Amino acid sequence: GDSVTQMEGPVTLSEEAFLTINCTYTATGYPSLFWYVQYPGEGLQLLLKATKADDKGSNKGFEATYRKETTSFHLEKGSVQVSDSAVYFCALSDPGTGRRALTFGSGTRLQVQP
Amino acid sequence: NAGVTQTPKFRVLKTGQSMTLLCAQDMNHEYMYWYRQDPGMGLRLIHYSVGEGTTAKGEVPDGYNVSRLKKQNFLLGLESAAPSQTSVYFCASNGGRENTGELFFGEGSRLTVL
């Protein structure tokens, strides 16, 4: 079945450092790819998405490019802030099943220190 | 601007007790989902519904039942709680006319089974 693999955390960075969180996937068909963010005590929020190969999703300084050849969707940000501390989830859709559900990775906790 | 609302937010049960989690959405979405979140495992789909009066099993349905009597509500029931069901439960919905793939999440319900 479809699956998503994320780098394990926690990832600890100093403010203004460069961030990369790796995400690779296995899927049949042509899924859309997503990054969700979960701040402490809250539900998940959509951060960005890409619907087809070579698309780049971006939001709030975060970016990720849908790479079909490497089945990857790595999340990057050039300069992290303390307020970016959260858990980040990579996810893919399941087109063709009729469910419109998402399959999630295990999540990566990011801690940004001042 | 409620979106997806879950009740209760916290609950402690003894093994063998029953309970129901309620999810309500005010976005007129057709699709609704129950996920559980466990450390290191991301979110796993328990059950879902593609419209009023319908329910279907996800990846980890054992020990849970659901009902979707009204379009805006999706109930998750535990008939005989077990310690393995200690988790954080998230409800989500999807269902604009365009399938953007985005799920809208509630804030979560933390359940502890002793």
Side-chain angles (χ1 to χ4, degrees):
Chain A
D2 295 354
S3 65
V4 177
T5 302
Q6 289 181 236
M7 62 188 290
E8 291 189 16
V11 174
T12 302
L13 296 174
S14 298
E15 208 164 21
E16 299 184 1
F18 184 86
L19 168 70
T20 299
I21 299 178
N22 291 336
C23 170
T24 57
Y25 67 91
T26 303
T28 55
Y30 302 96
S32 295
L33 300 175
F34 304 82
W35 277 100
Y36 276 79
V37 59
Q38 183 181 30
Y39 298 104
E42 298 183 10
L44 280 71
Q45 306 172 26
L46 179 66
L47 180 60
L48 55 84
K49 68 177 184 182
T51 58
K52 61 184 186 297
D54 299 325
D55 269 2
K56 177 185 285 188
S58 61
N59 186 27
K60 299 181 180 180
F62 291 89
E63 294 183 339
T65 301
Y66 189 163
R67 300 286 189 199
K68 191 167 184 291
E69 64 277 10
T70 54
T71 61
S72 65
F73 193 54
H74 304 322
L75 182 68
E76 296 181 336
K77 187 176 185 183
S79 176
V80 295
Q81 305 300 312
V82 172
S83 57
D84 293 326
S85 298
V87 181
Y88 293 81
F89 291 91
C90 185
L92 60 79
S93 65
D94 56 357
T97 68
R99 302 189 314 179
R100 296 193 184 181
L102 297 182
T103 297
F104 289 86
S106 57
T108 302
R109 182 177 300 277
L110 170 65
Q111 299 172 335
V112 180
Q113 299 176 336
Chain B
N1 196 20
V4 179
T5 304
Q6 295 180 226
T7 53
K9 290 190 170 38
F10 300 93
R11 185 73 187 268
V12 178
L13 290 178
K14 295 181 180 179
T15 297
Q17 288 185 319
S18 63
M19 74 158 295
T20 301
L21 296 177
L22 170 64
C23 176
Q25 53 95 3
D26 62 2
M27 297 173 283
N28 202 34
H29 283 171
E30 291 291 340
Y31 296 73
M32 297 187 74
Y33 310 85
W34 278 107
Y35 285 88
R36 59 178 289 174
Q37 183 182 26
D38 301 293
M41 301 185 75
L43 278 76
R44 293 180 290 167
L45 183 64
I46 305 171
H47 285 281
Y48 65 98
S49 168
V50 301
E52 180 179 310
T54 75
T55 63
K57 295 180 180 180
E59 277 74 50
V60 289
D62 293 344
Y64 305 95
N65 56 75
V66 288
S67 64
R68 184 97 180 270
L69 299 180
K70 293 183 179 181
K71 184 177 184 178
Q72 64 267 34
N73 295 337
F74 194 31
L75 279 64
L76 177 71
L78 285 72
E79 290 186 347
S80 179
S84 61
Q85 294 178 303
T86 293
S87 187
V88 181
Y89 292 86
F90 286 97
C91 178
S93 71
N94 174 323
R97 288 182 181 170
E98 287 187 27
N99 181 13
T100 65
E102 180 178 0
L103 298 189
F104 296 82
F105 283 85
E107 294 185 346
S109 298
R110 182 176 294 277
L111 173 65
T112 302
V113 183
L114 303 176

